[in-house]
Amino acid sequence: MFFIQLILLIALFMGVIALFRGHLYFLKVPIPNRKVAAIITIISLIFIGILPSSEEPSSSQGKTKSEEVVKDQDDEKKSEQDQQESDEEVSEENPKTEEAMNHPTNGDTSSSKQKPETSELKQNKSNKTNATVTRVIDGDTLEVTMNGKTEDVRLLLIDTPETVHPSEPVQPFGPEASQFVKEKLHGEKVRVKIGKEERDQYGRLLAYVFIDGETIQEKLLRKGLARTAYLYNDLTMLDEFHEAQKPARTSGIGVWSIPGYAHVDHDHGYHYKEEPETQPEPEPEPDPEPKQDSNTGLKYNPNGPDRDCGDFSTHQQAQAFFEATGGPASDPHRLDGEGDGLVCESL
């Protein structure tokens, strides 16, 4: 291609010179007059314009470059997606950022449109695990291995009855709550999401613990084995916990089956005092009717059990008993209802 272009350029150069000189002999090639020179010049220009430039890429080369451009665009999109996922991961670890994402301002219409996607992402995140439960201490306290360390975790926003308190007896439904958590979590991989306040006064992590896309707190509340309580400064899931607790509370199951035992959102534990079992007292046997003393006329011992008019057959018996007990100055058996010194006058 280059060789043809070179010949055409030479012919064009010769035609232009012949136009000015009127004729030309170059390398034994005669151009006798300007008419021939003009024809050669025009033909050379036409072919030079038709032939593709040596620098112009072929169709296959153009296709390759186009594919490279598309590949570069795909790489850029993938990089942007990776960056977006990284930003979302960071926002999840930062509660303030997460709160801002979940509550966009009124003017931010784009954020509101993306809210369902954010909610779905949050659900997927809750399924990712970052800890393993190694021991269940009681219904609301766990031991986990996390980031290469062993940590005690206090479940946020709930309280279960005591089972291992050094100064408290085992409380009703405490063993059931501990057993339930053991069955659900012991040896399982879970997601521990630490609250705004990282630790309590005992150094335990304060966290929500997710298993199968739901917190163990919600599972306990739904079974009536816990109540909402100990509201630290992280109240992120309090509304969800109230909803989970409502069926057990309204149905009176678990801790809600004992009147006055559990209270919503209080930090004073469970109100329960174990009372010793007592046998029902046998009903007292009626005193045998004593024989009437012929000298005193008394039917009953004045110092005996309480008597009323129904215990006497006649007014005279009741009046004698009344006077023997100190009447009318004293009436321990309250026989003189009218206070006139006469008792059981209707007999």
Side-chain angles (χ1 to χ4, degrees):
M1 185 66 65
F2 176 75
F3 181 72
I4 295 173
Q5 290 176 340
L6 180 61
I7 293 175
L8 290 171
L9 288 173
I10 293 172
L12 176 62
F13 179 73
M14 292 172 60
V16 171
I17 294 175
L19 283 173
F20 284 98
R21 295 183 61 182
H23 61 87
L24 179 67
Y25 292 91
F26 181 75
L27 297 177
K28 298 182 180 181
V29 178
I31 301 178
N33 52 50
R34 285 187 174 87
K35 185 177 180 181
V36 175
I39 293 172
I40 292 173
T41 302
I42 292 170
I43 292 173
S44 299
L45 288 172
I46 291 172
F47 277 99
I48 289 174
I50 292 174
L51 289 177
S53 174
S54 60
E55 296 179 357
E56 185 176 319
S58 62
S59 60
S60 60
Q61 289 175 339
K63 184 177 179 180
T64 302
K65 288 189 177 183
S66 177
E67 291 175 352
E68 289 177 356
V69 170
V70 172
K71 184 177 179 182
D72 290 342
Q73 290 176 348
D74 292 340
D75 291 342
E76 287 180 3
K77 289 182 180 179
K78 186 176 180 181
S79 176
E80 290 176 358
Q81 291 175 354
D82 292 341
Q83 182 64 33
Q84 184 178 0
E85 290 178 1
S86 176
D87 292 341
E88 289 169 349
E89 183 72 26
V90 171
S91 68
E92 184 195 4
E93 298 299 330
N94 188 339
K96 292 182 179 179
T97 304
E98 178 181 282
E99 185 176 354
M101 289 175 64
N102 291 337
H103 301 282
T105 59
N106 292 333
D108 191 357
T109 56
S110 61
S111 297
S112 61
K113 291 181 180 178
Q114 294 178 357
K115 189 173 182 179
E117 182 180 351
T118 303
S119 176
E120 183 180 353
L121 178 63
K122 183 178 179 181
Q123 179 68 23
N124 293 335
K125 294 292 185 183
S126 66
N127 293 326
K128 294 182 179 179
T129 61
N130 60 356
T132 301
V133 178
T134 55
R135 186 163 70 100
V136 174
I137 299 172
D138 65 7
D140 52 32
T141 310
L142 317 171
E143 180 186 84
V144 303
T145 55
M146 182 178 178
N147 299 326
K149 298 189 298 182
T150 300
E151 296 274 10
D152 285 345
V153 176
R154 176 63 167 82
L155 300 178
L156 270 170
L157 301 183
I158 69 163
D159 182 35
T160 60
E162 296 292 347
T163 57
V164 294
H165 197 285
S167 60
E168 296 285 345
V170 175
Q171 296 177 328
F173 297 102
E176 290 87 342
S178 297
Q179 184 61 32
F180 179 80
V181 177
K182 286 178 183 178
E183 292 175 358
K184 293 292 183 181
L185 297 187
H186 188 263
E188 297 292 334
K189 294 184 180 298
V190 298
R191 178 166 180 78
V192 175
K193 184 177 180 181
I194 300 171
K196 295 178 183 178
E197 185 176 347
E198 184 177 4
R199 297 182 186 272
D200 64 5
Q201 58 182 333
Y202 306 108
R204 301 176 297 185
L205 291 175
L206 300 173
Y208 302 100
V209 175
F210 289 85
I211 180 77
D212 299 330
E214 185 181 42
T215 64
I216 189 63
Q217 286 101 315
E218 290 168 286
K219 296 179 186 294
L220 283 164
L221 291 167
R222 199 172 288 114
K223 289 284 186 180
L225 300 176
R227 64 186 179 90
T228 53
Y230 295 98
L231 309 184
Y232 297 91
N233 65 9
D234 189 319
L235 306 180
T236 305
M237 298 193 67
L238 184 59
D239 290 341
E240 289 90 334
F241 288 3
H242 282 161
E243 286 298 316
Q245 175 178 254
K246 187 181 296 183
R249 187 184 175 198
T250 55
S251 301
I253 63 174
V255 298
W256 306 104
S257 64
I258 304 174
Y261 181 46
H263 296 84
V264 176
D265 297 348
H266 286 189
D267 296 347
H268 48 56
Y270 289 85
H271 295 264
Y272 179 76
K273 184 177 181 180
E274 188 173 358
E275 297 181 358
E277 294 183 3
T278 57
Q279 297 295 333
E281 295 183 3
E283 294 183 4
E285 295 181 2
D287 294 337
E289 292 191 5
K291 293 181 180 180
Q292 185 172 346
D293 192 334
S294 59
N295 296 325
T296 62
L298 297 179
K299 188 177 180 180
Y300 301 109
N301 183 359
N303 299 318
D306 187 33
R307 300 295 176 182
D308 58 27
C309 291
D311 294 324
F312 302 97
S313 301
T314 65
H315 164 68
Q316 289 77 12
Q317 288 179 351
Q319 186 70 30
F321 181 79
F322 169 68
E323 293 174 356
T325 59
S330 175
D331 186 14
H333 296 273
R334 299 174 299 282
L335 298 173
D336 186 9
E338 298 178 356
D340 57 0
L342 299 176
V343 301
C344 302
E345 297 175 74
S346 61
L347 296 176

